[in-house]
């Protein structure tokens, strides 16, 4: 008598391996296209004919006051006031006046963002054309971020591609290129830290991966500064031997040469990008730094300083003096705390958690800086995607972010008209600032020990496991159950 047949599930070939990866990437890209298109449509309502002699739309700045999403965007706002409408090449011919007004093509952002703004204005003669062309420049970076995240953490990429921040901020400011550099640096370390299935060896040496990542972070520094702070934890990661860890391998000492290469690569890249502007127009280049140094923590900066310290001192000279000292000092303290917690984690498990420490340092910067623009949510969002942050924290952060966006950009026109601010606007803005502050404090204290999400690499290729491997990356290593937060 023959044995009864048992049916076993059959894998669908096109959904296994590369086929499944293709589906994940495609779905994530479609979600990104939908959210960015929604963002474009929402922000474009502040533009359109008729235009005045300077190319400013009659719809600016309120657009459709009844719209769900406020249409204000810095892309459209900065058409006037920075000589963008006059197509002046940035920084070279400009400066800053005694009252803090920029002129001659100087913008308040680092030089590469200024170049993006200049390129976006080529051929444009209205704020709407400038907005449209700038959006076309920015959109590819949004798609690139999605692809990199999908390859690293699979379906979790939808937390980036299909959530409100991409709708609210894709085309609010020039954030997508700088976020792309930070994510690309992590992607380089993840890919380079994986093991080639054909050779059984690491794809790239640890130092080579880290140098490439440092160059990307330095480019990000020249866009919006914040990726530059990630160079320090990256150097510490190389110093301690990467995922294998020098201590795990029974080796003594630290890789000071490798860490120095990482720091040098970042410094050389920054100098190479900044030097032409410094030589050709030092006053204009310096004016952007001076503008940021003089900027005050006012109602439009959404900081804990304005919605906290101001109630004790008022917006007096004393208030601004205290903020000018306390803000940078506390930022440095936040950095030190993040590095300390990361080093303690290294002493416990033998791997320095450079990605988690980077996220914690960013949280410290966002918490204590005198300016906390709403679109900074795009900065922290990739860490929610890449790391196993508690879902409650992510949900509250994103819900509060929606509340902030829907109130802060309604506060400005009411204030400018001299009308009293409704209670719900004040509550939405101040409440959002303090809820975000509490969550950022939590992230500073926990990200260094928060494990990364299961990446695509760990499922599709063999990764190193054992005391002799010095080359794997934390993003490709399984997390022991005892170490999971």
């Amino acid at each position: 008598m023959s044995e009864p047949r048992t049916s076993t599930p059959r894998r669908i070939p096109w959904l296994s391996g590369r086929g499944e990866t293709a589906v994940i990437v495609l779905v994530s890209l479609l979600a990104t296209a939908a959210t960015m298109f929604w963002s474009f449509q929402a922000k474009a309502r502040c533009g359109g004919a008729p235009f005045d002699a300077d190319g400013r739309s009659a719809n600016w700045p309120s657009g459709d006051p009844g719209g769900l999403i406020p249409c204000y965007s810095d892309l459209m706002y900065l058409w006037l006031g920075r000589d963008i409408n006059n197509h002046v090449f940035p920084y070279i011919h400009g400066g800053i006046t005694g009252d803090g007004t920029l002129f001659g093509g100087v913008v308040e952002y680092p030089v590469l963002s200024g170049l993006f703004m200049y390129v976006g204005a080529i051929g444009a003669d209205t704020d709407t054309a400038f907005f449209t062309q700038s959006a076309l420049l920015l959109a590819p970076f949004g798609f690139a971020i999605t692809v990199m995240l999908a390859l690293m953490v699979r379906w979790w990429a939808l937390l980036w591609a299909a959530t409100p921040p991409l709708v609210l901020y894709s085309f609010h400011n020039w954030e997508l290129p700088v976020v792309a550099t930070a994510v690309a640096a992590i992607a380089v370390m993840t890919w380079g830290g994986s093991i080639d299935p054909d050779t059984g060896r690491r794809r790239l040496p640890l130092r080579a991966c880290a140098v490439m990542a440092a160059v990307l972070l330095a480019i990000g520094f020249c866009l919006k500064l914040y990726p530059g702070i990630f160079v320090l934890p990256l150097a510490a990661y190389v110093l301690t031997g990467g995922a294998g860890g020098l201590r795990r391998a029974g080796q003594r000492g630290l890789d000071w040469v490798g860490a120095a290469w990482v720091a040098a690569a970042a410094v050389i890249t920054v100098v190479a990008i900044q030097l032409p502007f410094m030589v050709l127009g030092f006053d204009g280049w310096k004016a952007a730094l001076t503008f940021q140094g003089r900027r005050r923590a006012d109602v439009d900066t959404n900081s804990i300083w304005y919605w906290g310290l101001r109630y004790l001192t008022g917006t007096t000279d004393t208030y601004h003096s205290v903020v000018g000292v306390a803000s940078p000092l506390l930022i440095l303290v936040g950095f030190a705390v993040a590095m300390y917690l990361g080093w303690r984690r290294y002493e416990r498990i033998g791997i320095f958690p450079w990605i988690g420490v980077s996220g914690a340092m960013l949280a410290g910067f966002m918490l204590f800086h005198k300016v906390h623009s709403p679109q900074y949510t795009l900065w922290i969002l990739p860490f929610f995607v890449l790391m196993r942050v508690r879902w409650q924290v992510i949900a509250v952060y994103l819900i509060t972010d929606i509340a902030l966006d829907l109130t802060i950009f309604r506060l400005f026109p009411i204030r400018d008209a001299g009308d009293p601010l409704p209670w719900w606007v004040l509550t939405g803005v101040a409440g959002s600032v303090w809820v975000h502050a509490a969550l950022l404090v939590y992230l500073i204290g926990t990200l260094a020990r928060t494990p990364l999400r299961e990446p695509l690499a760990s499922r599709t290729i063999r990764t190193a496991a054992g005391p002799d491997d010095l080359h794997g990356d934390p993003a490709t290593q399984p997390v022991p159950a005892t170490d999971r937060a």
Side-chain angles (χ1 to χ4, degrees), residues 133-212:
Q133 293 178 187
S134 296
L136 290 174
L137 285 176
L138 294 172
F141 292 96
F143 288 118
I145 295 166
T146 296
V147 172
M148 289 186 287
L149 292 175
L151 293 177
M152 286 190 286
V153 291
R154 304 170 75 80
W155 291 110
W156 282 102
L158 291 175
L159 184 56
W160 161 267
T163 51
L166 212 58
V167 178
L168 299 175
Y169 308 122
S170 286
F171 308 120
H172 182 89
N173 198 288
W174 289 265
E175 307 302 329
L176 292 179
V178 65
V179 176
T181 62
V183 174
I186 296 173
V188 165
M189 295 299 294
T190 301
W191 177 82
S194 62
I195 304 300
D196 190 317
D198 297 326
T199 65
R201 300 178 60 85
R202 195 177 191 274
R203 294 182 184 275
L204 290 174
L206 175 61
R207 289 182 182 178
C209 289
V211 166
M212 288 190 290

Side-chain angles (χ1 to χ4, degrees), residues 328-346:
L329 180 62
L330 288 176
I331 288 173
L332 292 176
V333 170
F335 290 174
V337 169
M339 288 295 295
Y340 169 74
L341 294 175
W343 196 263
R344 285 191 59 184
R345 187 67 173 170
Y346 161 69

Side-chain angles (χ1 to χ4, degrees), residues 300-319:
D300 60 344
T301 61
N302 310 307
S303 69
I304 59 173
W305 305 109
Y306 184 84
W307 295 104
L309 179 64
R310 175 180 64 94
Y311 293 110
L312 300 177
T313 64
T315 51
T316 61
D317 289 341
T318 299
Y319 164 76

Side-chain angles (χ1 to χ4, degrees), residues 110-438:
V111 294
L112 292 184
S113 287
L115 285 179
F116 266 104
M117 297 163 73
Y118 174 78
V119 173
I122 293 176
D125 56 4
T126 67
D127 57 1
T128 306
F130 173 56
F131 169 78
T132 302
Q133 293 178 187
S134 296
L136 290 174
L137 285 176
L138 294 172
F141 292 96
F143 288 118
I145 295 166
T146 296
V147 172
M148 289 186 287
L149 292 175
L151 293 177
M152 286 190 286
V153 291
R154 304 170 75 80
W155 291 110
W156 282 102
L158 291 175
L159 184 56
W160 161 267
T163 51
L166 212 58
V167 178
L168 299 175
Y169 308 122
S170 286
F171 308 120
H172 182 89
N173 198 288
W174 289 265
E175 307 302 329
L176 292 179
V178 65
V179 176
T181 62
V183 174
I186 296 173
V188 165
M189 295 299 294
T190 301
W191 177 82
S194 62
I195 304 300
D196 190 317
D198 297 326
T199 65
R201 300 178 60 85
R202 195 177 191 274
R203 294 182 184 275
L204 290 174
L206 175 61
R207 289 182 182 178
C209 289
V211 166
M212 288 190 290
V215 169
L216 287 165
L217 295 174
I219 293 172
F221 177 85
C222 296
L223 284 162
K224 282 293 181 78
L225 298 186
Y226 85 86
I229 65 179
F230 302 163
V231 173
L232 179 59
L234 176 61
Y237 177 67
V238 175
L239 178 70
T240 55
L246 295 174
R247 289 174 61 240
R248 280 189 163 191
Q251 296 188 13
R252 296 181 179 180
L254 297 170
D255 185 8
W256 291 102
V257 174
W261 271 109
V262 171
V267 171
I268 291 171
T269 301
V270 169
V271 171
I273 294 172
Q274 303 283 341
L275 191 59
F277 294 91
M278 297 173 66
V279 171
L280 296 175
F282 182 79
D283 289 340
W285 174 84
K286 182 182 176 183
L289 301 177
T290 303
F291 180 93
Q292 292 296 344
R294 293 182 183 178
R295 190 171 182 183
R296 295 185 166 186
D298 293 326
V299 65
D300 60 344
T301 61
N302 310 307
S303 69
I304 59 173
W305 305 109
Y306 184 84
W307 295 104
L309 179 64
R310 175 180 64 94
Y311 293 110
L312 300 177
T313 64
T315 51
T316 61
D317 289 341
T318 299
Y319 164 76
H320 293 298
S321 297
V322 170
V323 173
V325 174
S327 174
L329 180 62
L330 288 176
I331 288 173
L332 292 176
V333 170
F335 290 174
V337 169
M339 288 295 295
Y340 169 74
L341 294 175
W343 196 263
R344 285 191 59 184
R345 187 67 173 170
Y346 161 69
E347 290 179 335
R348 178 183 175 189
I349 66 173
I351 302 173
F352 187 85
W354 83 275
I355 298 175
V357 172
S358 296
M361 293 176 73
L362 175 59
F365 179 83
M366 293 171 61
L367 174 63
F368 295 118
H369 195 256
K370 58 186 176 181
V371 179
H372 186 141
S373 297
Q375 69 269 15
Y376 292 177
T377 298
L378 291 179
W379 297 3
I380 200 75
L381 186 58
F383 290 95
F384 294 164
V385 177
L386 293 167
M387 307 191 72
R388 294 174 57 188
V389 179
R390 295 182 182 276
W391 70 265
Q392 299 94 331
V393 173
I394 298 173
V396 173
Y397 198 101
L398 296 186
I399 291 171
T400 309
D401 183 66
I402 295 172
L404 176 62
D405 188 82
L406 297 184
T407 52
I408 188 66
F409 295 113
R410 287 180 168 86
L411 180 151
F412 298 146
I414 297 173
R415 177 203 59 181
D416 294 342
D419 298 329
L421 293 171
W423 68 268
W424 62 271
V425 171
L426 285 174
T427 302
V429 176
S432 300
V433 166
W434 282 106
V435 171
H436 275 177

